[in-house]
């Protein structure tokens, strides 16, 4: 158990809908990262937040947004969902700001868009 | 374009049969190369970070090495519990703040 929690575990929704994925980092970690893992694209870095501020941005679509709250939990919002958004979404956390810091991954949220 | 390529895609070994997994990369200004282990349906588990050519790190039956073009993950006398997908990732100046992952090697160890 990494200490990172993600909810929900599974999410099934329809095209065009909007969903919110939630992540709580390990106790003491200030950085939160979001990743998408699909069969055809592999694991892709989406975005990093550090202590409430956006720190780094990867291949995140404009339809997706994220934020980190004062209690350090983070939410990833996915809107206007398409079939291709079906994937595993992982959250990870680390102590510091650098993306080279050791990251601890949560169990993931499996999103299915029908 | 920054690229991370892992080989082989899949590897089946007998218990105790040592082997190596390869991760080759083409980036400008490597900041760090990472190895992760991922079990089916679970999040990746951090193994190692390597920062510069010549660096080596070990953990139990695993040893990671780094050159200017590639990294190897050596597995010595593997056990069935080492079966997993091993992911390599890099972070470089040329990719700004992005972390780029390879597609992974699926390792299966037969008892």
């Amino acid at each position: 158990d990494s200490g990172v929690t993600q909810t929900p575990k599974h999410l099934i929704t329809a095209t065009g809908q909007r969903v919110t994925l939630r992540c709580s980092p390990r106790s003491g970690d200030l950085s939160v990262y979001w990743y998408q893992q699909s069969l055809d694209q592999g694991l892709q870095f989406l975005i990093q937040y550090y202590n409430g501020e956006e720190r780094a941005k990867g291949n995140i679509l404009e339809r997706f947004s994220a934020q980190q709250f004062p209690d350090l939990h983070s939410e990833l919002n996915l809107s206007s969902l398409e079939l291709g958004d079906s994937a595993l979404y992982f959250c990870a956390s680390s102590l510091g700001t650098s993306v080279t810091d050791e990251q601890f991954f949560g169990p993931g949220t499996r999103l299915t868009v029908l | 374009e920054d690229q991370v390529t892992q080989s082989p895609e899949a590897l089946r070994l007998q218990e105790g049969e040592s082997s190596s997994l390869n991760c080759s990369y083409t980036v400008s200004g490597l900041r760090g190369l990472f190895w992760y282990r991922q079990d089916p349906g679970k999040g990746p588990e951090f193994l190692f970070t390597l920062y510069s050519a010549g660096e080596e790190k070990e953990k139990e039956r695993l040893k990671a090495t780094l050159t200017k073009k590639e990294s190897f993950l050596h597995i010595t006398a593997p056990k069935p519990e080492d079966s997993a997908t091993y992911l390599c990732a890099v972070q470089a100046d040329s990719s700004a703040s992005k972390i780029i992952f390879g597609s992974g090697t699926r390792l299966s160890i037969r008892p």
Side-chain angles (χ1 to χ4, degrees):
Chain A
D1 183 357
S2 67
V4 178
T5 59
Q6 290 187 247
T7 57
K9 195 165 184 173
H10 300 279
L11 199 48
I12 300 175
T13 188
T15 54
Q17 295 298 305
R18 172 190 168 95
V19 297
T20 298
L21 312 183
R22 183 187 167 104
C23 167
S24 293
R26 286 189 327 153
S27 176
D29 284 356
L30 298 178
S31 274
V32 168
Y33 309 78
W34 285 99
Y35 293 87
Q36 179 193 59
Q37 187 172 40
S38 60
L39 284 174
D40 56 342
Q41 297 271 10
L43 193 62
Q44 293 209 64
F45 168 67
L46 296 178
I47 197 164
Q48 176 200 2
Y49 276 82
Y50 174 78
N51 205 21
E53 301 287 328
E54 183 183 305
R55 180 77 181 178
K57 213 165 187 175
N59 299 323
I60 189 165
L61 300 173
E62 283 192 15
R63 300 183 286 110
F64 296 0
S65 65
Q67 54 184 325
Q68 187 179 27
F69 295 87
D71 67 352
L72 301 176
H73 91 271
S74 178
E75 293 181 355
L76 180 66
N77 300 294
L78 314 176
S79 61
S80 303
L81 285 168
E82 302 175 359
L83 295 176
D85 297 327
S86 295
L88 263 172
Y89 289 84
F90 289 106
C91 164
S93 74
S94 70
L95 182 62
T97 60
S98 173
V99 293
T100 58
D101 289 345
E102 179 175 351
Q103 295 183 25
F104 297 85
F105 280 75
T109 293
R110 183 173 293 281
L111 173 66
T112 302
V113 182
L114 301 175
Chain B
E1 185 186 339
D2 297 333
Q3 211 162 6
V4 178
T5 304
Q6 291 189 248
S7 61
E9 281 189 23
L11 182 61
R12 296 187 71 182
L13 301 172
Q14 200 69 34
E15 183 173 1
E17 181 186 0
S18 302
S19 188
S20 297
L21 313 182
N22 178 265
C23 171
S24 63
Y25 60 91
T26 51
V27 299
S28 178
L30 181 73
R31 293 188 186 178
L33 184 142
F34 318 95
W35 282 99
Y36 286 87
R37 168 196 170 123
Q38 186 174 25
D39 293 303
K42 296 193 175 180
E45 176 190 341
F46 172 83
L47 293 173
F48 305 108
T49 304
L50 301 168
Y51 294 99
S52 58
E55 190 174 358
E56 298 182 353
K57 288 193 176 173
E58 283 188 70
K59 180 179 180 178
E60 295 180 0
R61 296 178 292 282
L62 300 176
K63 178 179 176 180
T65 61
L66 181 64
T67 72
K68 288 186 178 178
K69 293 182 182 179
E70 59 193 348
S71 176
F72 291 94
L73 185 66
H74 306 280
I75 301 178
T76 302
K79 299 181 178 182
E81 53 262 40
D82 295 322
S83 297
T85 295
Y86 289 84
L87 297 168
C88 168
V90 300
Q91 206 264 323
D93 292 337
S94 52
S95 59
S97 51
K98 295 180 187 179
I99 301 172
I100 303 169
F101 280 82
S103 54
T105 293
R106 288 190 315 279
L107 178 66
S108 174
I109 309 297
R110 298 189 300 269

